[in-house]
mmCIF file of all heavy atoms in Angstrom:
data_model
loop_
_atom_site.group_PDB
_atom_site.id
_atom_site.type_symbol
_atom_site.label_atom_id
_atom_site.label_comp_id
_atom_site.label_asym_id
_atom_site.label_seq_id
_atom_site.Cartn_x
_atom_site.Cartn_y
_atom_site.Cartn_z
ATOM 1 N N ASN A 1 3.628 17.618 -34.540
ATOM 2 C CA ASN A 1 2.506 16.998 -35.285
ATOM 3 C C ASN A 1 1.384 17.957 -35.542
ATOM 4 O O ASN A 1 0.752 17.976 -36.612
ATOM 5 C CB ASN A 1 1.992 15.698 -34.628
ATOM 6 C CG ASN A 1 1.463 15.893 -33.242
ATOM 7 O OD1 ASN A 1 1.819 16.937 -32.620
ATOM 8 N ND2 ASN A 1 0.641 15.006 -32.820
ATOM 9 N N THR A 2 1.082 18.826 -34.578
ATOM 10 C CA THR A 2 0.053 19.840 -34.751
ATOM 11 C C THR A 2 0.510 20.858 -35.785
ATOM 12 O O THR A 2 -0.294 21.272 -36.654
ATOM 13 C CB THR A 2 -0.205 20.547 -33.396
ATOM 14 O OG1 THR A 2 -0.645 19.578 -32.466
ATOM 15 C CG2 THR A 2 -1.320 21.611 -33.544
ATOM 16 N N MET A 3 1.773 21.281 -35.774
ATOM 17 C CA MET A 3 2.316 22.198 -36.712
ATOM 18 C C MET A 3 2.247 21.637 -38.107
ATOM 19 O O MET A 3 1.938 22.308 -39.066
ATOM 20 C CB MET A 3 3.707 22.604 -36.327
ATOM 21 C CG MET A 3 4.269 23.804 -37.093
ATOM 22 S SD MET A 3 3.506 25.359 -36.536
ATOM 23 C CE MET A 3 2.392 25.742 -37.883
ATOM 24 N N SER A 4 2.546 20.324 -38.219
ATOM 25 C CA SER A 4 2.483 19.699 -39.524
ATOM 26 C C SER A 4 1.116 19.761 -40.136
ATOM 27 O O SER A 4 0.903 20.079 -41.339
ATOM 28 C CB SER A 4 2.928 18.210 -39.336
ATOM 29 O OG SER A 4 2.808 17.546 -40.583
ATOM 30 N N THR A 5 0.049 19.601 -39.298
ATOM 31 C CA THR A 5 -1.315 19.726 -39.826
ATOM 32 C C THR A 5 -1.579 21.135 -40.309
ATOM 33 O O THR A 5 -2.172 21.381 -41.355
ATOM 34 C CB THR A 5 -2.273 19.289 -38.721
ATOM 35 O OG1 THR A 5 -2.012 17.991 -38.323
ATOM 36 C CG2 THR A 5 -3.700 19.465 -39.145
ATOM 37 N N HIS A 6 -1.172 22.129 -39.501
ATOM 38 C CA HIS A 6 -1.406 23.512 -39.863
ATOM 39 C C HIS A 6 -0.706 23.871 -41.166
ATOM 40 O O HIS A 6 -1.261 24.502 -42.041
ATOM 41 C CB HIS A 6 -0.919 24.434 -38.770
ATOM 42 C CG HIS A 6 -1.802 24.447 -37.544
ATOM 43 N ND1 HIS A 6 -3.176 24.703 -37.585
ATOM 44 C CD2 HIS A 6 -1.486 24.288 -36.229
ATOM 45 C CE1 HIS A 6 -3.674 24.654 -36.370
ATOM 46 N NE2 HIS A 6 -2.706 24.426 -35.541
ATOM 47 N N LEU A 7 0.542 23.414 -41.280
ATOM 48 C CA LEU A 7 1.324 23.669 -42.544
ATOM 49 C C LEU A 7 0.689 23.014 -43.734
ATOM 50 O O LEU A 7 0.674 23.612 -44.848
ATOM 51 C CB LEU A 7 2.781 23.280 -42.350
ATOM 52 C CG LEU A 7 3.592 24.135 -41.359
ATOM 53 C CD1 LEU A 7 4.943 23.538 -41.044
ATOM 54 C CD2 LEU A 7 3.767 25.555 -41.931
ATOM 55 N N ALA A 8 0.147 21.824 -43.521
ATOM 56 C CA ALA A 8 -0.563 21.143 -44.643
ATOM 57 C C ALA A 8 -1.751 21.911 -45.109
ATOM 58 O O ALA A 8 -2.018 21.978 -46.338
ATOM 59 C CB ALA A 8 -0.938 19.748 -44.258
ATOM 60 N N ILE A 9 -2.485 22.486 -44.213
ATOM 61 C CA ILE A 9 -3.669 23.320 -44.578
ATOM 62 C C ILE A 9 -3.250 24.559 -45.293
ATOM 63 O O ILE A 9 -3.807 24.915 -46.363
ATOM 64 C CB ILE A 9 -4.466 23.709 -43.268
ATOM 65 C CG1 ILE A 9 -5.134 22.412 -42.734
ATOM 66 C CG2 ILE A 9 -5.535 24.738 -43.620
ATOM 67 C CD1 ILE A 9 -5.738 22.622 -41.340
ATOM 68 N N LEU A 10 -2.158 25.266 -44.863
ATOM 69 C CA LEU A 10 -1.636 26.420 -45.614
ATOM 70 C C LEU A 10 -1.176 26.021 -46.986
ATOM 71 O O LEU A 10 -1.354 26.793 -47.917
ATOM 72 C CB LEU A 10 -0.550 27.082 -44.755
ATOM 73 C CG LEU A 10 -0.989 27.783 -43.525
ATOM 74 C CD1 LEU A 10 0.231 28.152 -42.630
ATOM 75 C CD2 LEU A 10 -1.830 29.072 -43.838
ATOM 76 N N SER A 11 -0.541 24.856 -47.016
ATOM 77 C CA SER A 11 -0.048 24.390 -48.284
ATOM 78 C C SER A 11 -1.137 24.074 -49.293
ATOM 79 O O SER A 11 -1.084 24.468 -50.485
ATOM 80 C CB SER A 11 0.830 23.153 -48.087
ATOM 81 O OG SER A 11 1.400 22.696 -49.303
ATOM 82 N N ARG A 12 -2.160 23.386 -48.807
ATOM 83 C CA ARG A 12 -3.334 23.074 -49.677
ATOM 84 C C ARG A 12 -4.012 24.346 -50.170
ATOM 85 O O ARG A 12 -4.593 24.425 -51.247
ATOM 86 C CB ARG A 12 -4.339 22.197 -48.959
ATOM 87 C CG ARG A 12 -3.942 20.729 -48.952
ATOM 88 C CD ARG A 12 -5.080 19.808 -48.515
ATOM 89 N NE ARG A 12 -5.552 20.086 -47.170
ATOM 90 C CZ ARG A 12 -5.025 19.567 -46.072
ATOM 91 N NH1 ARG A 12 -3.980 18.777 -46.118
ATOM 92 N NH2 ARG A 12 -5.545 19.873 -44.882
ATOM 93 N N ALA A 13 -4.018 25.396 -49.372
ATOM 94 C CA ALA A 13 -4.559 26.669 -49.721
ATOM 95 C C ALA A 13 -3.669 27.456 -50.697
ATOM 96 O O ALA A 13 -4.070 28.521 -51.226
ATOM 97 C CB ALA A 13 -4.814 27.494 -48.517
ATOM 98 N N GLY A 14 -2.478 26.965 -50.932
ATOM 99 C CA GLY A 14 -1.538 27.611 -51.850
ATOM 100 C C GLY A 14 -0.749 28.743 -51.258
ATOM 101 O O GLY A 14 -0.128 29.479 -51.966
ATOM 102 N N LEU A 15 -0.839 28.911 -49.991
ATOM 103 C CA LEU A 15 -0.142 30.006 -49.312
ATOM 104 C C LEU A 15 1.268 29.773 -48.916
ATOM 105 O O LEU A 15 2.031 30.737 -48.698
ATOM 106 C CB LEU A 15 -0.987 30.486 -48.057
ATOM 107 C CG LEU A 15 -2.369 30.973 -48.378
ATOM 108 C CD1 LEU A 15 -3.172 31.145 -47.113
ATOM 109 C CD2 LEU A 15 -2.272 32.302 -49.120
ATOM 110 N N VAL A 16 1.641 28.501 -48.820
ATOM 111 C CA VAL A 16 3.027 28.134 -48.531
ATOM 112 C C VAL A 16 3.438 27.021 -49.424
ATOM 113 O O VAL A 16 2.615 26.256 -49.949
ATOM 114 C CB VAL A 16 3.229 27.695 -47.053
ATOM 115 C CG1 VAL A 16 2.833 28.827 -46.074
ATOM 116 C CG2 VAL A 16 2.536 26.437 -46.700
ATOM 117 N N SER A 17 4.726 26.940 -49.653
ATOM 118 C CA SER A 17 5.272 25.803 -50.421
ATOM 119 C C SER A 17 6.289 25.034 -49.514
ATOM 120 O O SER A 17 6.763 25.644 -48.553
ATOM 121 C CB SER A 17 5.951 26.306 -51.701
ATOM 122 O OG SER A 17 7.040 27.117 -51.369
ATOM 123 N N CYS A 18 6.545 23.827 -49.879
ATOM 124 C CA CYS A 18 7.419 23.018 -49.107
ATOM 125 C C CYS A 18 8.437 22.347 -50.002
ATOM 126 O O CYS A 18 8.090 21.837 -51.064
ATOM 127 C CB CYS A 18 6.624 21.936 -48.365
ATOM 128 S SG CYS A 18 7.628 20.787 -47.429
ATOM 129 N N GLN A 19 9.684 22.404 -49.551
ATOM 130 C CA GLN A 19 10.750 21.719 -50.278
ATOM 131 C C GLN A 19 11.340 20.632 -49.353
ATOM 132 O O GLN A 19 11.799 20.967 -48.283
ATOM 133 C CB GLN A 19 11.825 22.678 -50.667
ATOM 134 C CG GLN A 19 12.969 21.984 -51.453
ATOM 135 C CD GLN A 19 14.010 23.048 -51.870
ATOM 136 O OE1 GLN A 19 14.080 24.188 -51.402
ATOM 137 N NE2 GLN A 19 14.890 22.610 -52.787
ATOM 138 N N LYS A 20 11.182 19.359 -49.768
ATOM 139 C CA LYS A 20 11.666 18.283 -48.967
ATOM 140 C C LYS A 20 13.075 17.912 -49.375
ATOM 141 O O LYS A 20 13.327 17.703 -50.572
ATOM 142 C CB LYS A 20 10.741 17.121 -49.085
ATOM 143 C CG LYS A 20 11.066 15.947 -48.127
ATOM 144 C CD LYS A 20 10.031 14.854 -48.232
ATOM 145 C CE LYS A 20 10.354 13.780 -47.203
ATOM 146 N NZ LYS A 20 9.394 12.741 -47.197
ATOM 147 N N GLN A 21 14.006 17.827 -48.414
ATOM 148 C CA GLN A 21 15.396 17.381 -48.671
ATOM 149 C C GLN A 21 15.727 16.315 -47.633
ATOM 150 O O GLN A 21 15.803 16.618 -46.395
ATOM 151 C CB GLN A 21 16.331 18.572 -48.558
ATOM 152 C CG GLN A 21 16.110 19.637 -49.610
ATOM 153 C CD GLN A 21 17.053 20.816 -49.383
ATOM 154 O OE1 GLN A 21 17.534 21.059 -48.317
ATOM 155 N NE2 GLN A 21 17.287 21.523 -50.440
ATOM 156 N N SER A 22 15.723 15.113 -48.080
ATOM 157 C CA SER A 22 15.944 13.998 -47.166
ATOM 158 C C SER A 22 14.828 13.956 -46.155
ATOM 159 O O SER A 22 13.685 13.800 -46.512
ATOM 160 C CB SER A 22 17.385 14.113 -46.539
ATOM 161 O OG SER A 22 17.631 12.973 -45.760
ATOM 162 N N ARG A 23 15.177 14.126 -44.853
ATOM 163 C CA ARG A 23 14.161 14.115 -43.863
ATOM 164 C C ARG A 23 13.679 15.499 -43.387
ATOM 165 O O ARG A 23 12.889 15.616 -42.465
ATOM 166 C CB ARG A 23 14.696 13.306 -42.595
ATOM 167 C CG ARG A 23 14.942 11.875 -42.985
ATOM 168 C CD ARG A 23 15.439 11.103 -41.761
ATOM 169 N NE ARG A 23 14.390 11.104 -40.762
ATOM 170 C CZ ARG A 23 14.625 10.813 -39.506
ATOM 171 N NH1 ARG A 23 15.816 10.465 -39.075
ATOM 172 N NH2 ARG A 23 13.609 10.876 -38.641
ATOM 173 N N THR A 24 14.246 16.548 -44.001
ATOM 174 C CA THR A 24 13.915 17.962 -43.582
ATOM 175 C C THR A 24 12.855 18.514 -44.596
ATOM 176 O O THR A 24 12.980 18.228 -45.782
ATOM 177 C CB THR A 24 15.109 18.829 -43.443
ATOM 178 O OG1 THR A 24 15.707 18.936 -44.718
ATOM 179 C CG2 THR A 24 16.145 18.253 -42.463
ATOM 180 N N MET A 25 12.074 19.358 -44.102
ATOM 181 C CA MET A 25 11.089 20.010 -44.912
ATOM 182 C C MET A 25 11.202 21.501 -44.648
ATOM 183 O O MET A 25 10.962 21.999 -43.491
ATOM 184 C CB MET A 25 9.687 19.528 -44.592
ATOM 185 C CG MET A 25 9.536 18.000 -44.915
ATOM 186 S SD MET A 25 7.930 17.356 -44.494
ATOM 187 C CE MET A 25 6.982 17.989 -45.820
ATOM 188 N N THR A 26 11.525 22.286 -45.668
ATOM 189 C CA THR A 26 11.605 23.715 -45.588
ATOM 190 C C THR A 26 10.374 24.352 -46.182
ATOM 191 O O THR A 26 9.999 24.036 -47.319
ATOM 192 C CB THR A 26 12.847 24.235 -46.330
ATOM 193 O OG1 THR A 26 13.997 23.591 -45.800
ATOM 194 C CG2 THR A 26 13.012 25.737 -46.230
ATOM 195 N N TYR A 27 9.732 25.210 -45.440
ATOM 196 C CA TYR A 27 8.532 25.841 -45.814
ATOM 197 C C TYR A 27 8.866 27.309 -46.143
ATOM 198 O O TYR A 27 9.695 27.957 -45.500
ATOM 199 C CB TYR A 27 7.454 25.801 -44.694
ATOM 200 C CG TYR A 27 6.815 24.431 -44.640
ATOM 201 C CD1 TYR A 27 7.364 23.461 -43.913
ATOM 202 C CD2 TYR A 27 5.686 24.205 -45.392
ATOM 203 C CE1 TYR A 27 6.738 22.167 -43.876
ATOM 204 C CE2 TYR A 27 5.027 22.929 -45.353
ATOM 205 C CZ TYR A 27 5.623 21.952 -44.595
ATOM 206 O OH TYR A 27 5.073 20.748 -44.517
ATOM 207 N N ARG A 28 8.131 27.809 -47.176
ATOM 208 C CA ARG A 28 8.312 29.194 -47.600
ATOM 209 C C ARG A 28 6.921 29.761 -47.886
ATOM 210 O O ARG A 28 6.023 29.031 -48.324
ATOM 211 C CB ARG A 28 9.125 29.301 -48.858
ATOM 212 C CG ARG A 28 10.572 28.923 -48.681
ATOM 213 C CD ARG A 28 11.357 29.011 -50.033
ATOM 214 N NE ARG A 28 12.710 28.652 -49.764
ATOM 215 C CZ ARG A 28 13.193 27.440 -49.658
ATOM 216 N NH1 ARG A 28 12.428 26.394 -49.800
ATOM 217 N NH2 ARG A 28 14.479 27.249 -49.453
ATOM 218 N N ALA A 29 6.719 31.029 -47.598
ATOM 219 C CA ALA A 29 5.451 31.725 -48.026
ATOM 220 C C ALA A 29 5.467 31.750 -49.539
ATOM 221 O O ALA A 29 6.467 32.012 -50.196
ATOM 222 C CB ALA A 29 5.437 33.116 -47.468
ATOM 223 N N HIS A 30 4.348 31.478 -50.080
ATOM 224 C CA HIS A 30 4.157 31.553 -51.587
ATOM 225 C C HIS A 30 3.592 32.931 -51.882
ATOM 226 O O HIS A 30 2.345 33.090 -51.976
ATOM 227 C CB HIS A 30 3.278 30.407 -52.047
ATOM 228 C CG HIS A 30 3.263 30.266 -53.531
ATOM 229 N ND1 HIS A 30 2.199 30.587 -54.302
ATOM 230 C CD2 HIS A 30 4.262 29.816 -54.362
ATOM 231 C CE1 HIS A 30 2.474 30.363 -55.582
ATOM 232 N NE2 HIS A 30 3.745 29.928 -55.636
ATOM 233 N N LEU A 31 4.431 33.860 -52.087
ATOM 234 C CA LEU A 31 4.041 35.272 -52.250
ATOM 235 C C LEU A 31 3.171 35.580 -53.469
ATOM 236 O O LEU A 31 2.293 36.378 -53.374
ATOM 237 C CB LEU A 31 5.303 36.175 -52.196
ATOM 238 C CG LEU A 31 6.037 36.145 -50.866
ATOM 239 C CD1 LEU A 31 7.241 37.035 -50.921
ATOM 240 C CD2 LEU A 31 5.162 36.453 -49.702
ATOM 241 N N PRO A 32 3.307 34.874 -54.593
ATOM 242 C CA PRO A 32 2.382 35.087 -55.642
ATOM 243 C C PRO A 32 0.908 34.824 -55.291
ATOM 244 O O PRO A 32 0.019 35.521 -55.724
ATOM 245 C CB PRO A 32 2.852 34.149 -56.827
ATOM 246 C CG PRO A 32 4.336 34.025 -56.538
ATOM 247 C CD PRO A 32 4.403 33.992 -55.046
ATOM 248 N N SER A 33 0.727 33.817 -54.458
ATOM 249 C CA SER A 33 -0.685 33.461 -53.986
ATOM 250 C C SER A 33 -1.163 34.565 -53.049
ATOM 251 O O SER A 33 -2.364 34.915 -53.111
ATOM 252 C CB SER A 33 -0.668 32.126 -53.249
ATOM 253 O OG SER A 33 -0.428 31.115 -54.175
ATOM 254 N N VAL A 34 -0.238 35.166 -52.252
ATOM 255 C CA VAL A 34 -0.676 36.258 -51.375
ATOM 256 C C VAL A 34 -1.085 37.445 -52.157
ATOM 257 O O VAL A 34 -2.131 38.081 -51.923
ATOM 258 C CB VAL A 34 0.540 36.615 -50.434
ATOM 259 C CG1 VAL A 34 0.177 37.788 -49.577
ATOM 260 C CG2 VAL A 34 0.915 35.401 -49.578
ATOM 261 N N ARG A 35 -0.290 37.701 -53.186
ATOM 262 C CA ARG A 35 -0.644 38.796 -54.076
ATOM 263 C C ARG A 35 -1.979 38.583 -54.765
ATOM 264 O O ARG A 35 -2.853 39.497 -54.816
ATOM 265 C CB ARG A 35 0.457 39.070 -55.145
ATOM 266 C CG ARG A 35 0.146 40.387 -55.934
ATOM 267 C CD ARG A 35 1.205 40.570 -56.976
ATOM 268 N NE ARG A 35 0.881 39.705 -58.133
ATOM 269 C CZ ARG A 35 1.749 39.347 -59.037
ATOM 270 N NH1 ARG A 35 3.030 39.714 -58.903
ATOM 271 N NH2 ARG A 35 1.411 38.598 -60.021
ATOM 272 N N ASP A 36 -2.203 37.349 -55.230
ATOM 273 C CA ASP A 36 -3.511 37.026 -55.817
ATOM 274 C C ASP A 36 -4.672 37.191 -54.867
ATOM 275 O O ASP A 36 -5.700 37.707 -55.250
ATOM 276 C CB ASP A 36 -3.484 35.601 -56.333
ATOM 277 C CG ASP A 36 -2.650 35.386 -57.559
ATOM 278 O OD1 ASP A 36 -2.178 36.383 -58.172
ATOM 279 O OD2 ASP A 36 -2.349 34.214 -57.896
ATOM 280 N N LEU A 37 -4.417 36.819 -53.587
ATOM 281 C CA LEU A 37 -5.480 36.974 -52.601
ATOM 282 C C LEU A 37 -5.829 38.463 -52.319
ATOM 283 O O LEU A 37 -6.957 38.800 -52.249
ATOM 284 C CB LEU A 37 -5.084 36.285 -51.260
ATOM 285 C CG LEU A 37 -6.043 36.395 -50.121
ATOM 286 C CD1 LEU A 37 -7.429 35.765 -50.518
ATOM 287 C CD2 LEU A 37 -5.527 35.716 -48.884
ATOM 288 N N VAL A 38 -4.745 39.235 -52.190
ATOM 289 C CA VAL A 38 -4.990 40.673 -51.934
ATOM 290 C C VAL A 38 -5.691 41.325 -53.123
ATOM 291 O O VAL A 38 -6.644 42.106 -52.968
ATOM 292 C CB VAL A 38 -3.636 41.422 -51.640
ATOM 293 C CG1 VAL A 38 -3.853 42.881 -51.587
ATOM 294 C CG2 VAL A 38 -3.067 40.875 -50.347
ATOM 295 N N VAL A 39 -5.305 40.983 -54.356
ATOM 296 C CA VAL A 39 -5.935 41.578 -55.519
ATOM 297 C C VAL A 39 -7.335 41.069 -55.589
ATOM 298 O O VAL A 39 -8.236 41.820 -55.858
ATOM 299 C CB VAL A 39 -5.158 41.157 -56.834
ATOM 300 C CG1 VAL A 39 -5.964 41.444 -58.059
ATOM 301 C CG2 VAL A 39 -3.830 41.844 -56.818
ATOM 302 N N TYR A 40 -7.641 39.818 -55.237
ATOM 303 C CA TYR A 40 -8.978 39.261 -55.226
ATOM 304 C C TYR A 40 -9.856 40.075 -54.234
ATOM 305 O O TYR A 40 -10.961 40.459 -54.571
ATOM 306 C CB TYR A 40 -8.948 37.781 -54.849
ATOM 307 C CG TYR A 40 -10.282 37.240 -54.466
ATOM 308 C CD1 TYR A 40 -11.238 36.925 -55.406
ATOM 309 C CD2 TYR A 40 -10.605 37.069 -53.098
ATOM 310 C CE1 TYR A 40 -12.485 36.406 -55.054
ATOM 311 C CE2 TYR A 40 -11.798 36.556 -52.717
ATOM 312 C CZ TYR A 40 -12.775 36.225 -53.742
ATOM 313 O OH TYR A 40 -13.959 35.712 -53.392
ATOM 314 N N LEU A 41 -9.282 40.349 -53.065
ATOM 315 C CA LEU A 41 -10.048 41.072 -52.040
ATOM 316 C C LEU A 41 -10.358 42.503 -52.446
ATOM 317 O O LEU A 41 -11.390 43.084 -52.124
ATOM 318 C CB LEU A 41 -9.324 41.041 -50.690
ATOM 319 C CG LEU A 41 -9.267 39.695 -50.011
ATOM 320 C CD1 LEU A 41 -8.333 39.781 -48.803
ATOM 321 C CD2 LEU A 41 -10.622 39.254 -49.547
ATOM 322 N N LEU A 42 -9.392 43.108 -53.142
ATOM 323 C CA LEU A 42 -9.491 44.512 -53.471
ATOM 324 C C LEU A 42 -9.987 44.815 -54.874
ATOM 325 O O LEU A 42 -10.037 45.994 -55.280
ATOM 326 C CB LEU A 42 -8.161 45.200 -53.225
ATOM 327 C CG LEU A 42 -7.659 45.124 -51.741
ATOM 328 C CD1 LEU A 42 -6.313 45.771 -51.575
ATOM 329 C CD2 LEU A 42 -8.680 45.812 -50.812
ATOM 330 N N ARG A 43 -10.199 43.801 -55.616
ATOM 331 C CA ARG A 43 -10.617 43.976 -57.033
ATOM 332 C C ARG A 43 -11.785 44.930 -57.103
ATOM 333 O O ARG A 43 -12.784 44.745 -56.340
ATOM 334 C CB ARG A 43 -11.002 42.577 -57.678
ATOM 335 C CG ARG A 43 -11.320 42.798 -59.172
ATOM 336 C CD ARG A 43 -11.635 41.463 -59.820
ATOM 337 N NE ARG A 43 -10.549 40.459 -59.606
ATOM 338 C CZ ARG A 43 -10.808 39.262 -59.193
ATOM 339 N NH1 ARG A 43 -11.982 38.792 -58.943
ATOM 340 N NH2 ARG A 43 -9.736 38.434 -59.039
ATOM 341 N N ASP A 44 -11.688 45.873 -57.945
ATOM 342 C CA ASP A 44 -12.743 46.852 -58.111
ATOM 343 C C ASP A 44 -13.058 47.636 -56.831
ATOM 344 O O ASP A 44 -14.143 48.205 -56.682
ATOM 345 C CB ASP A 44 -14.041 46.183 -58.641
ATOM 346 C CG ASP A 44 -13.834 45.521 -59.962
ATOM 347 O OD1 ASP A 44 -13.085 46.091 -60.814
ATOM 348 O OD2 ASP A 44 -14.401 44.471 -60.195
ATOM 349 N N CYS A 45 -12.108 47.700 -55.931
ATOM 350 C CA CYS A 45 -12.306 48.460 -54.679
ATOM 351 C C CYS A 45 -12.592 49.906 -54.918
ATOM 352 O O CYS A 45 -13.210 50.609 -54.208
ATOM 353 C CB CYS A 45 -11.176 48.277 -53.674
ATOM 354 S SG CYS A 45 -9.707 49.182 -54.106
#
């Protein structure tokens, strides 16, 4: 239940995506968002 809360926060931030199949939920890192974050941090560096 604690992990579910953490994954929901990461999902709302756009950093992970979730695919639900029946009762299972598979999470993946959302790499385009990671790239956007890194570019945001380093823009005009």
Side-chain angles (χ1 to χ4, degrees):
N1 60 338
T2 302
M3 192 73 252
S4 177
T5 300
H6 287 308
L7 290 168
I9 291 168
L10 289 168
S11 183
R12 280 193 299 274
L15 296 170
V16 302
S17 62
C18 177
Q19 182 179 14
K20 187 174 183 178
Q21 295 175 339
S22 185
R23 295 183 62 197
T24 64
M25 298 177 77
T26 302
Y27 284 86
R28 291 177 179 83
H30 191 252
L31 297 180
S33 293
V34 175
R35 187 179 80 203
D36 289 348
L37 179 60
V38 171
V39 169
Y40 166 77
L41 290 172
L42 299 176
R43 186 179 303 134
D44 300 323
C45 74

